[in-house]
Amino acid sequence: SGFLVPSIGNSSRSGFKVVTPYYFNIAPNMDATLTPTFMSRRGLLLGGEFRYLSPRHTLDVYAEGISNDREYEESGVRGALRLLHQGNYGAGWSSSIRFQDVSDKQYLEDFGNRLELTSLRNIERRGDLNYRGQGWRARLTLQDFQNVDISIPPENYPYSRLPQLELDLNPWRSGAGLELGLRTQYNYFDHDRKVHGGRASIQPQVSWPIRRTYGHLIPRLNFWGAAYDLQNTQADNPSDPAYAIPSFNLD
């Protein structure tokens, strides 16, 4: 534990800046960093990061905040939060979480110091739960976005997936060489201002690959099917469109 190398800078928006990080060596698989940042024009920004590592989990949490920013027109606390998690539970189960949040749309422009942060328009929040079995896999996904661009109107915000469910079967092979595969998916696309709703899709396929040292011949039959259940549609547009399209290809 101890102080890390400090940094000093200056900008027209924040004034003279001093960053003095302090590192805490908590355990071999656990540490933390406290990062006070003094800005002459804004005040004191206090940040902290906690990291944890185990054979089945990784966790990284970072939070920062400033009380009564003198260069911001509104009073109160401004801050940001980031949480990253990866989990592997054995028996085919795994998960991942990426959650980020800022207090206001101006925050990244005022405090972000990297181009990929200051140029962001939408901050992603996403969680995945996965299962991989013998010959198949399943996934549950929740995805949402926080808009941080004041020039984008609410009707142009991206859709959220709340939730998305996927079930895929690996190709099953018969003794005669026939291969059967299946992909299915359900999405609920959420939006406050636009047409939104659910979509269920299915894609089975059948192929009979013939492979030799001198070449291969693979005929494949596919079926593409989907059905929608939509809300907030116009009067002349259906709320439950669907399609069913067979296709054949030869490689």
Side-chain angles (χ1 to χ4, degrees):
S1 299
F3 285 100
L4 303 179
V5 178
S7 62
I8 300 174
N10 186 71
S11 71
S12 59
R13 299 179 64 91
S14 300
F16 179 71
K17 181 170 67 173
V18 180
V19 183
T20 55
Y22 189 89
Y23 177 76
F24 295 90
N25 185 13
I26 303 173
N29 66 330
M30 190 185 311
D31 62 15
T33 305
L34 181 65
T35 309
T37 302
F38 172 77
M39 295 165 284
S40 60
R41 300 187 60 174
R42 294 185 180 275
L44 179 64
L45 175 71
L46 190 61
E49 181 179 20
F50 173 79
R51 299 186 302 177
Y52 173 78
L53 176 66
S54 76
R56 295 189 179 274
H57 299 275
T58 62
L59 176 65
D60 187 331
V61 181
Y62 178 80
E64 64 182 24
I66 180 172
S67 178
N68 296 324
D69 182 0
R70 294 193 294 266
E71 290 293 310
Y72 192 60
E73 58 186 15
E74 298 181 13
S75 61
V77 177
R78 304 180 71 192
L81 173 66
R82 183 194 69 214
L83 186 150
L84 305 176
H85 174 265
Q86 295 282 341
N88 189 344
Y89 311 101
W93 290 94
S94 64
S95 67
S96 65
I97 298 174
R98 182 181 183 88
F99 180 84
Q100 303 172 96
D101 185 82
V102 293
S103 57
D104 55 84
K105 295 187 176 184
Q106 193 71 25
Y107 189 88
L108 292 181
E109 184 175 345
D110 290 341
F111 298 102
N113 57 3
R114 300 194 305 273
L115 178 62
E116 64 267 26
L117 288 180
T118 56
S119 61
L120 279 178
R121 292 188 172 185
N122 299 286
I123 298 177
E124 182 186 29
R125 295 94 167 259
R126 174 169 175 161
D128 292 279
L129 179 63
N130 307 285
Y131 180 79
R132 185 174 295 275
Q134 293 292 333
W136 64 283
R137 72 172 186 88
R139 171 181 293 175
L140 168 65
T141 299
L142 299 173
Q143 183 188 42
D144 193 17
F145 297 90
Q146 180 187 14
N147 179 267
V148 291
D149 190 334
I150 59 176
S151 66
I152 299 179
E155 55 269 19
N156 290 337
Y157 289 176
Y159 278 88
S160 302
R161 293 185 290 176
L162 301 173
Q164 174 178 291
L165 298 171
E166 297 177 84
L167 176 62
D168 297 340
L169 302 182
N170 296 335
W172 174 82
R173 297 173 177 84
S174 68
L178 198 67
E179 293 186 358
L180 305 177
L182 177 66
R183 297 188 64 184
T184 61
Q185 188 180 100
Y186 173 79
N187 281 281
Y188 188 88
F189 297 101
D190 193 32
H191 202 287
D192 293 335
R193 305 294 181 90
K194 290 185 176 182
V195 176
H196 59 277
R199 180 193 68 194
S201 62
I202 185 170
Q203 182 192 346
Q205 64 177 25
V206 181
S207 64
W208 195 357
I210 302 173
R211 297 183 175 92
R212 299 292 184 267
T213 56
Y214 50 82
H216 64 263
L217 181 68
I218 306 177
R220 179 178 288 109
L221 181 64
N222 300 279
F223 176 83
W224 311 78
Y228 294 79
D229 181 17
L230 304 179
Q231 303 176 36
N232 201 28
T233 59
Q234 300 294 328
D236 54 345
N237 291 329
S239 61
D240 56 349
Y243 64 79
I245 305 172
S247 68
F248 175 80
N249 62 284
L250 181 66
D251 184 8

